[in-house]
Amino acid sequence: MLFAIICTDRPGSLALRMATRAQHLAFLELNKAAIQFGGPQLDSDGKPCGSLILLEAEDRASAEGFAAADPYAKVDLFESVIVRPLRTVFRDGQLAE
């Protein structure tokens, strides 16, 4: 099942994000087979202010476990984390249903 993991950084935490980025990217690399899409959300100045990951996981508990294991989560970077199931309707320029 596909899950959207939507994370919002704590205000003023860009330095913490950058200091933890290498560990975060290594974590993503270890889990790349399950990641459909991932990247930072950007603020009005084009600086990272959150994350969005589309993850293939067995169930919600597995997706939540993935989110909790992210090095960004472990250093308390996020103000909020939303894990929500997702159904693909449109992909690669075509209806997917």
Side-chain angles (χ1 to χ4, degrees):
M1 177 174 237
L2 194 59
F3 290 86
I5 301 173
I6 307 155
C7 307
T8 302
D9 293 0
R10 294 185 181 284
S13 62
L14 183 57
L16 178 59
R17 172 179 273 275
M18 299 315 291
T20 314
R21 187 170 186 265
Q23 296 95 322
H24 168 72
L25 293 177
F27 172 76
L28 297 181
E29 181 67 27
L30 286 174
N31 293 281
K32 67 183 176 184
I35 298 170
Q36 302 295 310
F37 171 87
Q41 297 179 67
L42 304 177
D43 66 15
S44 60
D45 294 325
K47 294 181 182 167
C49 64
S51 299
L52 172 65
I53 296 175
L54 299 182
L55 181 76
E56 187 68 40
E58 183 176 320
D59 53 30
R60 184 184 195 97
S62 297
E64 289 173 347
F66 171 90
D70 187 328
Y72 282 164
K74 289 184 174 187
V75 297
D76 204 28
L77 174 66
F78 302 128
E79 178 178 72
S80 67
V81 176
I82 297 169
V83 177
R84 188 165 287 151
L86 183 66
R87 181 172 51 95
T88 303
V89 174
F90 199 83
R91 178 182 221 135
D92 298 327
Q94 297 182 13
L95 285 174
E97 290 188 311

